[in-house]
Amino acid sequence: MSASFDIAASAKSGETFVLNLGPQHPAAHGVLRVKMTMDGEYVMRSEPVIGYIHRMHEKMGENRSLAKFLPNTGRIDYLSALHYNHAFVGAVERAARIEVPPRAEFIRVITSELNRISSHLVWWGAFLLDLGGFTPLLYAFDDREKILDLLEGVTGSRLTYCYFRFGGVRDDLDEGFVERTRAFIAQMRPRLKMYRQLVTDNIILRKRLENIGPISPELCRRYGATGPVIRGSGVPYDVRKIEPYSVYSQLDFEVPVYPEGDCMGRYRVRMDEIAQSLRIIEQALDKLPDGPTLGKVPRVLKLPVGDVCYAVEAARGRLMVRIVSDGKEAAYRLKLRTPSFSNMSLFEEASRGMLLADALALMGSLDLVIPDIDR
Amino acid sequence: MPTTLEQIKEHFSGTGCALSCAPADRAVKGYDLDVSANAGDVVSAAEYLGGIGFALDTITGVDWILQNEMEVVYDYFHPASPLRIVVRTRVPRANPEVPTVSGVFPGANWHERETHDFFGIRFAGHPNLIPLLLPEDADYHPLRKDFNA
Amino acid sequence: MSFLLTEPFRLLLSILCIVAFVGGNAAYLVLAERKGAGRFQNRPGPNEAGFGGWLQPIADVGKLISKQLMVPPEADQLLFRLAPLVVLTPAMMCLAVIPFGDTVVARNINVGLLMVFSFGSINVMAILLSGWASRNKFAIMSAARVVSQNVAYEIPMLLVVITLLMATGTMDLSEIVRQQAGGFWHWNFCRVWINPLMPVTFVIFFICMLAETNRAPFDMAEAESELVAGAFTEYGSMGFGVFFMAEYANIVLGCSLATVLFFGGWQTGLGAVPAAWGGWGVLVGLGFFMAKLYALIFTVIWVRWTFPRTQFYILLNLSWKILIPVSLFTLLLSSAMIKLLPR
């Protein structure tokens, strides 16, 4: 018979073992590796190991002209690609003082909010899949298909959009977009109600998420976590309200904030955000002015010497792009501050002493997209 | 009630922990205050800003090869106010070393590891300065301007 | 022709029928589950493999058999190979005492109920064997969870069955079915004059049955999002196929037991007693039994695709803190009622 089973792999006390939630795992939302030191079912220490999908977008930003970097932005976080488009073109427009016509601004807001809804739907389906509820994913994807059809008509892509340009957007809205979007909003609101009744109010889900994975506002601040993570801990921080950009200051919407700080709080924030995004889209469609969709941009675009930064509220949190320019066509240094990077960094501290299933519920509630962490 | 921009500016120019401190045009630059500090003063700047409620947005490294210097830029944002502060410091390119701020902001742990990965800047006092995004045995620094793959 | 009625032939026929029943169910319940899952999720489910999906199980079996049967070199060689056998045998043996029709029962022994529960516990041991023998951390964790969960849920199940035994007075499953002859109000499910909480008793039995067979929402053992495939991670090809078959055999066993104990087994529930009709009556009874059985199995599938998984300590709390006190209470209540009220 073989030797006795050694479970004290690399532990000092001899009572713990190391469980490797490897890069291939049904619950790691992408290629993420977490080395968990476990004491039975309790997580003593978890060490995320990232970099499996590091593609070095920041070096690519230095190697090509600003316009050629635009497709890259759609691939950093493919689920909410338009927000990343927005941050990059916003930074360039800010530095080069390019005027964006109001119609383009409204189109940007409408498409960005549609993208936010589709990103949250994917999160919702995948989160419930982690928790063992297999069915909501299919319903979420059903709704998402409608959004993808809307956006495909406008941008030409289903997922990794490259629609925004310096000074506006590439093409005007196609025929019937406004009607179809209004039809979608009318159809989505009852669906949200159904999801709330069937899923959010389900006793098993509530027991699974309430009081699990508490994250205090102080923890968020020390790690720089933003987005639904910080809003689910009671802090009303939303870039669209605190540092308004584009035409958000002309639109009336609320920022959902829940003080509990547990997984359920973050869950409810995202579900409410979907409803608020529908509201924003409706108002933007009402206020949509006529006019050109692309402003005046110099033929050879060079940014003035110095640095500039621009922040947007992506689906996962605060996204900031910092461009350091030396006057040439390519950026000298392009820095992407992505929300999932900061959100993930607090996982180590937040998951100490939790049960394995709870730690995974916590990770799901952070809404991570690994390419967003690794860039 | 978060501290106003004037008070922050006074702290940095008054207490001498900054080489220069200039307000920036928010609409053009995206931040409100640009503070240049010595490498040794970044921790006290972080402590001050952390004390008044700021959070660390990101740490950016820049390789100024022509000036033979490397720059580390700390961006700070506040969850309750629109103020954005930038603290920058320059270190010699041959031996870049900056004290770590991960004692004040644990989130800086990963940012500093990443900056070290890309530029080779050492953060003195960092508990675990191993590669974050690059492979564990990487000894090259890709974002240096003299890096040839 | 008389040799057809002899014991050895009847024995052989019973064994063949049980194996065929288990095999056929394992194959086609998988398809039913996937079709059901599809419909609950607003999509068609498997509909490519021949005649709208009906040959899918054949395709699955072909795929499973053709894969390499691999035993990890560090696994315990004997136990690893033994575990699939140990997991399938009890389910098949217990099906020998279930009365599918009036005379359609392989071996009617007068302690049938006791036999089912004795053999049913071996299931736990088999999963523990497979988890332990795999030498895989995920498998060990899952095996530990399974033992914990199954031990916890056997207790309320047995308490509930004892409550029922007090009402029926016999452990002979065929006799239990015969006692429920007549209209559906004679079924044990509706016998509230013996035990006013009889429907609650059934619900507890159903929940315990879900937990014993490791079905969602109690499927921590193979919680795929956390533990990859749990105790069966290292099994490929037919090793995994056998565990799969055993899971469905256990579901069939659990639901047939529920049908026999609570819903009158092969009784029609409409007043007529098929036993009096001879041959055709047996077939009618068999048909009713199958209808009730598959209705219960459909409910099991339905529950799986509707609810998320519970947390492990909530699962155990449910058993130890809620189900056991409630089943103890029903036990006391029915013994009190039997003592105080005349039959």
Side-chain angles (χ1 to χ4, degrees):
Chain A
M1 282 293 176
S2 49
S4 62
F5 184 47
D6 180 23
I7 62 170
S10 65
K12 299 175 204 103
S13 67
E15 290 279 347
T16 60
F17 66 98
V18 176
L19 191 70
N20 186 36
L21 240 66
Q24 288 166 306
H25 187 95
H29 308 198
V31 276
L32 171 70
R33 179 173 168 220
V34 186
K35 277 162 53 172
M36 292 184 160
T37 310
M38 317 270 305
D39 174 14
E41 285 251 355
Y42 288 93
V43 177
M44 291 291 106
R45 199 184 143 226
S46 64
E47 185 193 329
V49 178
I50 61 178
Y52 287 90
I53 192 166
H54 176 57
R55 295 149 294 166
M56 202 111 221
H57 280 286
E58 296 177 1
K59 185 79 177 178
M60 285 195 254
E62 296 176 16
N63 279 345
R64 55 204 67 189
S65 66
L66 295 165
K68 288 196 187 146
F69 186 73
L70 273 170
N72 285 49
T73 58
R75 280 139 180 94
I76 301 166
D77 175 0
Y78 40 78
L79 287 178
S80 60
L82 286 173
H83 299 121
Y84 287 68
N85 273 191
H86 201 156
F88 182 66
V89 302
V92 170
E93 285 160 3
R94 186 174 261 176
R97 320 249 199 158
I98 296 174
E99 283 279 327
V100 181
R103 184 175 173 86
E105 291 278 28
F106 276 93
I107 294 179
R108 281 183 180 179
V109 165
I110 294 170
T111 47
S112 292
E113 292 302 316
L114 279 172
N115 207 345
R116 191 188 305 274
I117 299 176
S118 79
S119 170
H120 282 335
L121 284 172
V122 173
W123 162 80
W124 183 68
F127 187 41
L128 279 155
L129 197 64
D130 281 348
L131 298 176
F134 309 98
T135 310
L137 179 71
L138 280 308
Y139 282 79
F141 271 49
D142 205 359
D143 293 327
R144 186 171 163 259
E145 277 302 308
K146 302 191 173 66
I147 299 182
L148 258 45
D149 285 341
L150 286 171
L151 286 174
E152 188 179 5
V154 178
T155 67
S157 345
R158 269 171 61 89
L159 191 67
T160 51
Y161 309 109
C162 180
Y163 176 54
F164 296 178
R165 297 287 183 272
F166 305 126
V169 292
R170 184 191 184 282
D171 267 337
D172 204 345
L173 302 173
D174 56 324
E175 287 239 358
F177 176 84
V178 176
E179 288 84 49
R180 277 181 279 136
T181 310
R182 286 197 202 273
F184 166 74
I185 297 175
Q187 171 256 320
M188 186 71 195
R189 286 207 165 109
R191 294 280 278 204
L192 282 178
K193 186 157 166 239
M194 173 173 86
Y195 299 154
R196 194 180 62 247
Q197 285 172 336
L198 283 179
V199 183
T200 312
D201 288 345
N202 182 294
I203 178 85
I204 297 181
L205 188 78
R206 293 221 323 266
K207 279 226 174 320
R208 201 64 205 270
L209 296 182
E210 281 172 359
N211 300 321
I212 303 292
I215 295 181
S216 66
E218 186 53 28
L219 190 72
C220 289
R221 190 190 66 84
R222 286 190 297 129
Y223 282 89
T226 54
V229 178
I230 201 172
R231 289 198 283 280
S233 300
V235 179
Y237 176 65
D238 186 325
V239 183
R240 295 172 294 174
K241 285 284 196 196
I242 305 266
E243 297 176 66
Y245 57 96
S246 189
V247 287
Y248 282 105
S249 45
Q250 299 175 29
L251 299 167
D252 175 37
F253 62 99
E254 281 165 22
V255 170
V257 176
Y258 284 87
E260 295 96 32
D262 55 8
C263 289
M264 198 62 188
R266 295 187 278 283
Y267 177 103
R268 285 195 214 272
V269 165
R270 289 193 187 98
M271 298 310 280
D272 286 355
E273 268 181 20
I274 299 180
Q276 291 300 321
S277 287
L278 289 171
R279 210 171 132 190
I280 295 176
I281 297 173
E282 254 182 349
Q283 290 174 45
L285 285 173
D286 289 336
K287 293 187 175 168
L288 188 64
D290 292 319
T293 52
L294 199 60
K296 280 182 62 71
V297 181
R299 218 166 54 84
V300 176
L301 182 61
K302 291 184 185 170
L303 298 183
V305 175
D307 62 0
V308 65
C309 59
Y310 193 91
V312 305
E313 180 75 20
R316 281 156 191 84
R318 176 186 162 89
L319 165 69
M320 200 253 305
V321 169
R322 160 173 277 278
I323 304 182
V324 179
S325 172
D326 58 350
K328 302 226 176 48
E329 276 188 55
Y332 190 78
R333 170 84 168 101
L334 174 70
K335 170 72 182 174
L336 304 159
R337 184 265 191 224
T338 48
S340 300
F341 189 84
S342 309
N343 291 353
M344 182 72 201
S345 58
L346 62 71
F347 181 71
E348 201 167 338
E349 192 173 322
S351 64
R352 270 184 215 146
M354 291 174 74
L355 285 167
L356 177 61
D358 288 341
L360 287 168
L362 169 63
M363 196 156 80
S365 74
L366 292 176
D367 193 3
L368 305 169
V369 168
I370 314 304
D372 197 25
I373 303 180
D374 289 353
R375 285 155 282 139
Chain B
M1 186 62 197
T3 326
T4 64
L5 191 61
E6 279 307 312
Q7 290 169 306
I8 300 176
K9 185 160 160 295
E10 233 180 76
H11 170 91
F12 279 118
S13 6
T15 61
C17 74
L19 294 171
S20 76
C21 170
D25 185 359
R26 181 57 177 277
V28 174
K29 293 294 225 175
Y31 50 88
D32 296 294
L33 193 66
D34 192 351
V35 177
S36 282
N38 279 322
D41 291 326
V42 290
V43 184
S44 53
E47 278 168 357
Y48 168 68
L49 288 170
I52 53 176
F54 277 80
L56 181 66
D57 205 0
T58 190
I59 299 178
T60 311
V62 191
D63 182 15
W64 296 109
I65 190 169
L66 292 174
Q67 303 160 21
N68 223 356
E69 279 180 328
M70 288 218 188
E71 186 180 16
V72 181
V73 183
Y74 298 78
D75 277 282
Y76 292 95
F77 73 98
H78 196 289
S81 92
L83 293 177
R84 297 292 169 262
I85 317 284
V86 167
V87 175
R88 45 179 101 233
T89 178
R90 293 215 175 199
V91 285
R93 199 168 180 277
N95 191 15
E97 188 164 318
V98 179
T100 182
V101 297
S102 51
V104 183
F105 292 107
N109 192 316
W110 277 22
H111 286 120
E112 288 175 350
R113 274 172 75 182
E114 182 189 330
T115 316
H116 171 79
D117 266 356
F118 291 164
F119 292 95
I121 301 176
R122 269 189 324 282
F123 289 90
H126 192 283
N128 193 21
L129 205 62
I130 57 176
L132 181 71
L133 293 170
L134 298 178
E136 294 91 36
D137 52 358
D139 54 0
Y140 44 86
H141 301 289
L143 274 174
R144 287 191 171 211
K145 290 295 178 185
D146 55 357
F147 175 79
N148 283 319
Chain C
M1 281 288 278
S2 59
F3 82 92
L4 282 174
L5 295 171
T6 58
E7 252 327 287
F9 184 78
R10 198 169 174 277
L11 196 61
L12 189 63
L13 191 64
S14 321
I15 294 174
L16 282 175
C17 281
I18 289 179
V19 172
F21 187 60
V22 166
N25 264 319
Y28 278 89
L29 274 184
V30 175
L31 179 67
E33 168 134 44
R34 288 168 68 178
K35 278 284 205 184
R39 287 290 157 194
F40 294 131
Q41 294 168 358
N42 218 7
R43 60 184 175 88
N47 60 355
E48 288 286 320
F51 316 129
W54 282 97
L55 292 185
Q56 181 75 36
I58 319 281
D60 282 340
V61 167
K63 177 198 82 166
L64 279 177
I65 291 182
S66 63
K67 287 192 174 172
Q68 182 187 13
L69 199 61
M70 206 185 81
V71 178
E74 288 193 6
D76 189 319
Q77 300 294 311
L78 175 65
L79 294 178
F80 191 86
R81 291 186 171 91
L82 202 57
L85 298 175
V86 179
V87 81
L88 191 55
T89 322
M92 288 212 251
M93 296 198 59
C94 296
L95 281 172
V97 292
I98 304 280
F100 290 92
D102 193 8
T103 50
V104 184
V105 52
R107 263 281 176 271
N108 188 29
I109 61 180
N110 58 349
V111 287
L113 199 52
L114 185 62
M115 176 183 156
V116 169
F117 280 102
S118 329
F119 278 100
S121 326
I122 299 180
N123 184 32
V124 182
M125 199 179 77
I127 300 186
L128 181 61
L129 269 182
S130 72
W132 174 262
S134 301
R135 297 279 196 271
N136 177 330
K137 284 171 198 160
F138 290 117
I140 289 273
M141 281 182 68
S142 147
R145 284 184 179 181
V146 165
V147 170
S148 196
Q149 173 186 326
N150 281 37
V151 161
Y153 278 88
E154 264 177 20
I155 300 176
M157 198 175 208
L158 288 172
L159 284 174
V160 150
V161 165
I162 292 176
T163 311
L164 202 69
L165 275 180
M166 282 202 258
T168 62
T170 171
M171 284 200 270
D172 184 344
L173 288 171
S174 297
E175 188 56 40
I176 292 179
V177 173
R178 274 188 217 108
Q179 282 179 359
Q180 300 175 64
F184 65 87
W185 48 92
H186 287 284
W187 291 354
N188 281 334
F189 180 75
C190 307
R191 272 196 179 174
V192 288
W193 50 92
I194 294 181
N195 174 10
L197 292 178
M198 203 52 113
V200 174
T201 305
F202 167 69
V203 169
I204 297 179
F205 184 87
F206 192 73
I207 295 176
C208 294
M209 197 245 314
L210 282 179
E212 288 288 314
T213 51
N214 295 321
R215 288 288 294 188
F218 305 122
D219 63 347
M220 337 268 101
E222 42 173 299
E224 24 187 69
S225 343
E226 304 153 26
L227 299 177
V228 194
F232 320 130
T233 312
E234 295 289 343
Y235 285 89
S237 167
M238 270 324 268
F240 174 72
V242 171
F243 276 107
F244 220 52
M245 275 176 66
E247 179 179 324
Y248 285 100
N250 275 319
I251 293 175
V252 167
L253 176 65
C255 290
S256 355
L257 206 60
T259 315
V260 162
L261 291 177
F262 289 97
F263 289 108
W266 45 261
Q267 302 286 2
T268 58
L270 301 171
V273 180
W277 305 344
W280 284 116
V282 173
L283 281 176
V284 167
L286 186 65
F288 271 91
F289 182 90
M290 290 299 177
K292 293 175 204 170
L293 173 66
Y294 286 107
L296 276 176
I297 293 179
F298 175 75
T299 312
V300 170
I301 293 177
W302 193 8
V303 165
R304 177 185 184 178
W305 295 105
T306 310
F307 296 110
R309 211 173 284 127
T310 63
Q311 201 14 314
F312 194 53
Y313 47 86
I314 293 180
L315 177 77
L316 293 177
N317 278 351
L318 178 67
S319 168
W320 293 100
K321 292 188 188 170
I322 298 178
L323 292 184
I324 291 183
V326 171
S327 41
L328 276 174
F329 176 71
T330 55
L331 183 66
L332 291 173
L333 183 66
S334 52
S335 50
M337 293 205 59
I338 290 176
K339 188 74 179 166
L340 298 175
L341 300 177
R343 271 281 183 136

